[in-house]
Amino acid sequence: MAGTETLDRSTWETALNQMTEEHQGEFVTIEVLDPEVGHQYEANRLPFAAIVYDPKDDVVAVSVGGRSPRYPVVLRHLVWHPREIDVATQDIPEPAVRIVDKDGTATLITFFPKESGTES
């Protein structure tokens, strides 16, 4: 990803908490890029709730929905035992986070301004 920064593991929790604060009210797309299964969308422009790293369980959780009558249920995508987290925020149309798990499967979370979504 252009303008990408690979985060040091010691900063994951703080950096992802900051991304949660910065992107409230936006929409996200969650894509899973599995080397064996291929490219799959798990969520497409749903309201963003949070992205957090839990060091105790060694898991990143991305939460969408749960903030309006249109999307009343929270969907959580979990990435267990991540080995790398990259953040792209410069020189790109939409900010994104890429998380690579221990098996090499990447999860790509792309943020979109609220105006580009379809929430009512």
Side-chain angles (χ1 to χ4, degrees):
M1 294 186 302
T4 302
E5 174 187 2
T6 300
L7 301 178
D8 184 82
R9 183 178 283 269
S10 65
T11 67
W12 287 1
E13 189 172 7
T14 302
L16 295 181
N17 286 342
Q18 181 178 347
M19 292 211 63
T20 295
E21 289 178 23
E22 290 173 1
H23 294 284
Q24 287 299 307
E26 295 186 0
F27 288 80
V28 293
T29 296
I30 301 172
E31 302 171 69
V32 179
L33 312 167
D34 188 309
E36 293 180 21
V37 179
H39 180 180
Q40 302 174 30
Y41 283 92
E42 184 163 310
N44 191 12
R45 294 194 186 216
L46 291 178
F48 174 66
I51 181 169
V52 297
Y53 173 65
D54 178 355
K56 180 180 174 222
D57 291 325
D58 194 25
V59 64
V60 173
V62 184
S63 303
V64 298
R67 296 191 180 257
S68 72
R70 183 169 179 170
Y71 302 102
V73 177
V74 173
L75 166 74
R76 288 191 178 87
H77 174 80
L78 303 176
V79 180
W80 292 96
H81 311 295
R83 67 176 190 206
E84 181 179 319
I85 298 178
D86 305 316
V87 177
T89 57
Q90 300 175 6
D91 304 324
I92 55 169
E94 289 89 20
V97 176
R98 182 179 70 114
I99 307 159
V100 181
D101 72 13
K102 63 181 176 128
D103 299 324
T105 297
T107 298
L108 183 63
I109 300 101
T110 307
F111 296 89
F112 299 92
K114 188 169 187 170
E115 302 84 53
S116 69
T118 57
E119 183 172 17
S120 1

